[in-house]
Amino acid sequence: MIRPSPTTTYFNLETNLDDNWDKIDLLVPVKSTADKTYYVSPAGSDSNNGTSAATPFKTVGKAVSMIPQVCNHLYTINVAAGTYAEDVLITGIVGSGTIRIAGVPANPDTLVINSIAIKNTMIIASVAGFMASSTTQAGFLAVRSKHVIFDSCRITASASIAGVVFDGTSGRCINSTISNRSIGIEVAYACKVYCAANKGSGNTIGMQAHEGGQIDYTGTYPGGTSAFSTWASGSISPLIVSATEGNITLYVATTGNDSNDGLTSGTALRTIQAAINRIPQIVNHQVTINVSAGTYSEGIGINGFMGKGSILLVGGTAVSDNYAVNSVDVFNCVLDVTIRGLKAISTTHDGFSAYGSSAVTFDACRCTNATTSFSAVIYNKSKGTVSGCELSNRQNGIFIQRHSIVFSTTNTGSGNTNGLQSSEASTLGKFSSQPAGTTAEATGGGGVIR
């Protein structure tokens, strides 16, 4: 008599249907039913439920194990600063959802992990704000997966292997530092990867593409004895200049994450620079970056934009301390750029600057932290308007030079060495109140204030 295998499952259509469904559930992979967020901390425990910052897991691997094999929702793992002696592996996940592993993008050196690898995963996955320490394998690895993003990551431990590897996986590597490896970023096996604003030094090869791998890059990239290497139909090329196709609004908040899309307040970016880096170089429409209240420890650079549109970077609508950045520089922009409602707090840099730009407005901004070496607002070979700002305790409240043309209106401030200064054939037109100084107005080299 032939007996059935003990692993064989039988369904009896005459029994209760619920009993049959229970049996079916045991045979199919578990799938997600809603968005989930888990927390990890060195002070946590893997016996916790991990669902709040007060009850975190101790290891990233434990949080990863909570992701179902079929993931149709957003699974976020928030990892606190600290050291995790783990080689994290995410593998075999499918579905229509997204995995987001969020570290400390603003300071990845404070969150150390051995390595993070994403393999055979057919949903979008992002990793942001980690320092990888492994010297025996790639710090960040994506293999045969759908789309993987490494953002604001760092690996500097010296090793004769690559730092970041994309193997048969499309994706992005942005705002990351890769140093002292055989290859900084390696892309292979017929995949396409976008690289932007990466850096590093001491690599043998900065970026390498082979066997049909393609790297499109913009901005800086990891340095190496050889900048690039390609073989077996690999290609590395600068990204073709793109243009806006419609109005763009991006959101930034201290509670955001630079691996978010930034398109809503609920999916805000963490840094202002990350939002600026999302803007196409040719701007033919209105681009608005809305910054939520908070302190952003970054010097902002708006560089090289052109077109018939405009860029508005806005915090508050009035002068306040609530929207703080280190500084804002606008370089070589040939379109309207407006900075509104921010406070610049750096004492080792000019507060708000415009260089080689055609139409830059600083409105309702504040720069009052004391230094006698730098100006609150400076224009160099630029045109623009300073309006409704408070500019105090600097070398100059407003300083324009090298044939700049600037209109200053309804500004306030005190304690400057010079309230206004115009030099090198520049013209500063004024209306209503102006920032005060030991010297109210100073000119030189053909500069005019009128």
Side-chain angles (χ1 to χ4, degrees):
M1 176 175 164
I2 300 176
R3 295 183 180 277
S5 165
T7 60
T8 302
T9 301
Y10 292 92
F11 301 100
N12 187 340
L13 294 179
E14 295 181 358
T15 62
N16 186 287
L17 287 176
D18 288 341
D19 181 55
N20 284 334
W21 283 120
D22 289 342
K23 292 179 180 179
I24 293 172
D25 287 342
L26 293 174
L27 299 178
V28 299
V30 176
K31 62 182 179 181
S32 66
T33 58
D35 293 350
K36 296 282 187 180
T37 299
Y38 292 103
Y39 296 82
V40 181
S41 168
S45 170
D46 284 351
S47 62
N48 288 342
N49 61 22
T51 57
S52 74
T55 59
F57 294 130
K58 185 176 181 60
T59 65
V60 181
K62 174 63 177 179
V64 168
S65 73
M66 303 302 292
I67 304 173
Q69 188 175 354
V70 179
C71 180
N72 294 324
H73 297 82
L74 171 62
Y75 270 67
T76 301
I77 299 174
N78 290 318
V79 185
T83 297
Y84 301 83
E86 303 178 62
D87 292 296
V88 175
L89 174 63
I90 299 172
T91 186
I93 310 296
V94 299
S96 60
T98 298
I99 299 170
R100 184 173 66 191
I101 305 180
V104 189
N107 193 4
D109 288 357
T110 64
L111 205 175
V112 180
I113 199 157
N114 290 354
S115 65
I116 298 178
I118 299 170
K119 298 183 178 181
N120 304 310
T121 292
M122 295 298 111
I123 66 174
I124 296 173
S126 69
V127 176
F130 285 80
M131 161 76 90
S133 62
S134 178
T135 59
T136 59
Q137 62 188 49
F140 302 96
L141 175 66
V143 178
R144 295 183 297 277
S145 294
K146 180 180 179 179
H147 190 90
V148 175
I149 303 162
F150 296 121
D151 181 9
S152 301
C153 292
R154 185 175 175 87
I155 182 164
T156 60
S158 181
S160 57
I161 50 178
V164 176
V165 175
F166 291 84
D167 180 337
T169 304
S170 69
R172 288 180 278 163
C173 182
I174 57 177
N175 304 314
S176 295
T177 301
I178 308 105
S179 297
N180 307 317
R181 312 296 278 198
S182 60
I183 303 167
I185 301 172
E186 181 179 5
V187 174
Y189 300 110
C191 64
K192 184 175 181 179
V193 175
Y194 169 66
C195 296
N198 298 303
K199 59 184 179 179
S201 62
N203 302 295
T204 304
I205 300 168
M207 296 194 296
Q208 183 180 87
H210 56 90
E211 293 164 294
Q214 179 180 337
I215 298 174
D216 290 338
Y217 71 92
T218 183
T220 57
Y221 48 82
T225 305
S226 299
F228 304 145
S229 172
T230 60
W231 52 279
S233 300
S235 67
I236 300 175
S237 58
L239 190 68
I240 297 173
V241 173
S242 58
T244 59
E245 297 179 351
N247 294 340
I248 299 171
T249 300
L250 297 170
Y251 296 83
V252 180
T254 56
T255 56
N257 189 298
D258 284 349
S259 62
N260 289 344
D261 60 23
L263 297 176
T264 69
S265 58
T267 59
L269 299 164
R270 171 64 182 82
T271 62
I272 299 170
Q273 194 63 53
I276 292 166
N277 292 345
R278 304 284 177 96
I279 304 173
Q281 190 172 354
I282 298 175
V283 177
N284 290 328
H285 301 82
Q286 173 69 54
V287 175
T288 303
I289 300 174
N290 290 312
V291 179
S292 294
T295 297
Y296 301 83
S297 300
E298 50 180 322
I300 311 305
I302 302 174
N303 192 357
F305 294 101
M306 64 191 78
K308 57 187 179 182
S310 60
I311 296 173
L312 170 61
L313 172 60
V314 58
T317 57
V319 172
S320 79
D321 294 328
N322 297 331
Y323 305 83
V325 300
N326 288 351
S327 59
V328 179
D329 293 325
V330 182
F331 295 100
N332 305 313
C333 288
V334 189
L335 79 171
D336 288 340
V337 178
T338 298
I339 312 299
R340 178 171 295 142
L342 299 183
K343 179 182 181 180
I345 60 177
S346 175
T347 58
T348 59
H349 194 282
D350 297 310
F352 299 95
S353 307
Y355 295 87
S357 296
S358 63
V360 179
T361 297
F362 298 114
D363 177 55
C365 291
R366 171 174 278 169
C367 183
T368 57
N369 289 22
T371 173
T372 58
S373 300
F374 297 93
S375 297
V377 173
I378 183 170
Y379 284 77
N380 186 320
K381 298 181 182 178
S382 298
K383 298 179 180 180
T385 299
V386 184
S387 60
C389 295
E390 182 183 351
L391 312 169
S392 297
N393 307 318
R394 313 290 280 198
Q395 174 67 26
N396 300 285
I398 301 173
F399 177 35
I400 70 171
Q401 60 181 341
R402 298 185 181 179
H403 48 83
S404 294
I405 302 175
V406 174
F407 176 51
S408 172
T409 177
T410 324
N411 297 300
T412 62
S414 62
N416 302 294
T417 303
N418 300 306
L420 304 175
Q421 180 168 344
S422 177
S423 66
E424 298 169 295
S426 296
T427 300
L428 197 161
K430 61 180 182 176
F431 176 78
S432 190
S433 60
Q434 302 297 324
T438 304
T439 301
E441 299 179 4
T443 59
V448 175
I449 299 175
R450 62 187 186 191

